[in-house]
Amino acid sequence: AVVFTILGRLEAAELAGRQALELQPNFLPALWGLGGILCRRERSEEAIPHFERAVQLSRAPFYLGWLGYGLARSGRADEARRLLAELDERGSRGEFIQPLARLQINVGLGDLTAVRVELAEAIKLWTPPLEVRFAVDLQPFRTDPEINRLYLELFKS
């Protein structure tokens, strides 16, 4: 599913994600992967139960980021912002919150300024480029010169 998504073959990616969940219904990568694919296919409401199930299994920041992304893409911005607040609160207690989690939610919210900040932080902390490529749909932001510069920086190494 990941490879198909990176190649832009979202129908095949969705099928692969669904097959993975048929084999193992609580497989975290398939839950968030299928949810992300559904969001990219403009079916965010359908993605939310997959993200919610992942969060039920693990409240790791990564899965909260995916849920926040799906909520924001579904027009549920207040719920997505509550997840950002939870991540901030956990971070203030000393827990490491990977920038990718905040980046996902801010991409969903369409917050260009926050996307710039979180993408720069993800690069600074050496987030793997393919993880960013799969986990965050930056295409709508690529017309912004700073986002485009950061995106190219991410993939140059």
Side-chain angles (χ1 to χ4, degrees):
V2 171
V3 172
F4 284 132
T5 300
I6 291 169
L7 293 173
R9 297 186 51 206
L10 297 181
E11 189 173 317
E14 181 181 343
L15 179 61
R18 290 191 186 284
Q19 289 171 335
L21 285 177
E22 284 176 20
L23 294 170
Q24 194 171 358
N26 290 330
F27 186 48
L28 283 168
L31 287 165
W32 58 259
L34 180 57
I37 292 160
L38 291 169
C39 284
R40 288 180 188 218
R41 297 193 77 194
E42 305 297 328
R43 293 165 37 207
S44 299
E45 278 297 328
E46 190 179 335
I48 290 173
H50 298 291
F51 296 141
E52 289 174 334
R53 180 68 184 138
V55 168
Q56 286 173 349
L57 296 168
S58 171
R59 287 205 60 89
F62 182 76
Y63 303 114
L64 289 173
W66 274 108
L67 177 57
Y69 173 74
L71 290 168
R73 293 281 307 255
S74 296
R76 296 160 63 179
D78 290 342
E79 293 174 72
R81 286 188 186 94
R82 277 194 288 278
L83 291 176
L84 271 176
E86 178 182 333
L87 292 174
D88 288 342
E89 193 273 326
R90 288 169 63 175
S92 72
R93 291 190 320 235
E95 182 178 345
F96 175 70
I97 306 298
Q98 64 200 101
L100 192 56
R102 295 183 50 77
L103 179 60
Q104 290 168 304
I105 297 172
N106 285 304
V107 163
L109 291 169
D111 185 337
L112 177 61
T113 301
V115 169
R116 286 178 184 148
V117 168
E118 298 302 338
L119 181 57
E121 188 67 14
I123 292 167
K124 183 174 123 185
L125 294 177
W126 299 333
T127 304
L130 286 179
E131 189 174 339
V132 174
R133 177 74 170 93
F134 178 74
V136 183
D137 184 7
L138 290 171
Q139 282 310 117
F141 299 92
R142 291 287 305 276
T143 57
D144 177 74
E146 179 63 7
I147 295 292
N148 198 50
R149 183 191 69 73
L150 289 167
Y151 187 85
L152 294 173
E153 180 181 327
L154 176 69
F155 286 97
K156 77 176 179 183
S157 50

